[in-house]
Amino acid sequence: NRSGYSLLVELDRGARTVTELSTAQYRYVHIEREIRSEEDLRTISRELDALAALDTVLVKLVLSGVVSVDIRQKLDKLAEDVQRKVAFATIRDERVSLIPNEEDLRRFPIDSMAARSLHRLRDMHDRASEQDRPIFSRAIALAYKAFSEEAQR
């Protein structure tokens, strides 16, 4: 009676054969990390790549931190890769705040509506309560995406 196993009992004219069968098909991996840089993402990627038989791995990835637009895009790519590589993944990243850094904001002319709006949202984020910051972070992400798409047209 071992955890993760069952017994197959075969009866054949008085003979009995007992075989132990593994029923534990999946392994559960819980990773909780704070993300601040590209190196943090590489560390998570290496940790997952080191696991054997990824098709039998169930992953719960819980992330937090404050990241730039570039790091957020790389985080989204990592999340896609994780979903594709393992049997099942739950990725909780609502505690990752997107705050454009100065390099991100330089994509827009300083006096443009995009730059002014993003600066204003970033200031509101910084003054918001801890509870309200995810709302402003999401607003910043959506505004940045919309302004970037418009700039590419």
Side-chain angles (χ1 to χ4, degrees), residues 95-140:
R95 290 181 47 220
V96 175
S97 295
L98 171 70
I99 305 298
N101 60 23
E102 291 307 314
E103 182 181 328
D104 296 328
L105 294 174
R106 278 195 292 271
R107 291 190 59 195
F108 306 104
I110 191 79
D111 60 342
S112 69
M113 184 173 89
R116 287 193 317 268
S117 298
L118 290 167
H119 277 287
R120 175 93 171 113
L121 283 169
R122 189 172 68 175
D123 291 343
M124 292 169 71
H125 172 276
D126 292 346
R127 288 192 312 268
S129 68
E130 199 65 36
Q131 179 181 353
D132 289 340
R133 283 187 177 190
I135 296 166
F136 287 102
S137 182
R138 182 73 177 138
I140 290 167

Side-chain angles (χ1 to χ4, degrees), residues 43-63:
T43 299
I44 293 170
S45 185
R46 282 191 301 267
E47 188 174 342
L48 290 169
D49 287 344
L51 298 171
L54 289 174
D55 60 334
T56 65
V57 175
L58 308 175
V59 174
K60 181 174 184 180
L61 188 56
V62 180
L63 305 172

Side-chain angles (χ1 to χ4, degrees), residues 70-101:
D70 182 53
I71 299 301
R72 179 67 221 202
Q73 290 170 341
K74 290 176 180 171
L75 171 57
D76 291 342
K77 172 82 170 77
L78 173 66
E80 289 173 15
D81 291 346
V82 169
Q83 294 277 2
R84 194 178 65 254
K85 287 179 181 180
V86 300
F88 182 79
T90 298
I91 300 171
R92 304 290 309 268
D93 63 355
E94 60 271 4
R95 290 181 47 220
V96 175
S97 295
L98 171 70
I99 305 298
N101 60 23

